[in-house]
Amino acid sequence: MNDNEFDEVGPIDYLVVEFPADRPPDGSALPMLRDLVDNGIIRVLDLVFVRKNTDGSLAGIAIDDLGLEGGVDVTLFAEASSGLVNRSDVEEAGAILEPGCSGAILVYENLWAAPFATALRRGGAQLVASGRIPLQGIMAALDSLDADS
């Protein structure tokens, strides 16, 4: 990617999702992810599946080997490999997974925010902080407010 192409890129985020040991990924969320891509909201850069064995070792899982139900077309996701996720990223994500669980690492570009981000960069601005509040944190804060009133 040259500098001019980089000027047009939206913010890039990642997330790690853990699937319970007794319920491996079934593919039910992939159609929603596909809709986000098809509607130009995000671009999937990397999607990596990993399993943390009960002894703590990690094993990569090809999306084709997940045995997803419902005839999910995984072509888009099987080809999502920008190279941004490396072995140390997989190990770091695997460290937070519970033994016996599998997980997915998703790296995506926020296409919806690209024009906004581009305008800010062209104006000399730069992102200096970013974050995300997990739903559990929001629920805990709301519960705390209810308890105080």
Side-chain angles (χ1 to χ4, degrees):
M1 185 175 278
N2 64 40
D3 287 343
N4 290 338
E5 288 175 311
F6 182 73
D7 287 342
E8 304 293 321
V9 171
I12 296 174
D13 288 329
Y14 76 93
L15 53 88
V16 178
V17 178
E18 180 181 76
F19 301 98
D22 63 338
R23 288 189 328 220
D26 63 2
S28 60
L30 289 178
M32 278 60 96
L33 185 59
R34 180 71 190 228
D35 285 346
L36 293 171
V37 171
D38 290 345
N39 289 317
I41 297 169
I42 67 166
R43 176 171 53 145
V44 174
L45 301 174
D46 285 289
L47 181 58
V48 177
F49 288 91
V50 64
R51 175 164 181 75
K52 186 171 187 176
N53 297 313
T54 54
D55 67 1
S57 63
L58 296 175
I61 307 170
I63 193 167
D64 297 331
D65 295 337
L66 287 173
L68 302 178
E69 300 172 2
V72 177
D73 179 12
V74 297
T75 307
L76 167 74
F77 307 114
E79 296 171 354
S81 180
S82 70
L84 289 174
V85 176
N86 60 34
R87 182 66 190 169
S88 67
D89 297 323
V90 171
E91 289 171 359
E92 188 174 329
I96 59 176
L97 296 177
E98 291 294 322
C101 293
S102 57
I105 305 166
L106 174 65
V107 178
Y108 58 97
E109 176 187 359
N110 292 284
L111 295 174
W112 63 269
F116 175 66
T118 299
L120 288 172
R121 283 192 293 269
R122 287 187 180 148
Q126 65 179 348
L127 181 64
V128 295
S130 180
R132 179 154 288 127
I133 302 170
L135 182 57
Q136 297 88 339
I138 294 170
M139 299 302 289
L142 291 174
D143 288 345
S144 175
L145 288 173
D146 285 345
D148 292 341
S149 48

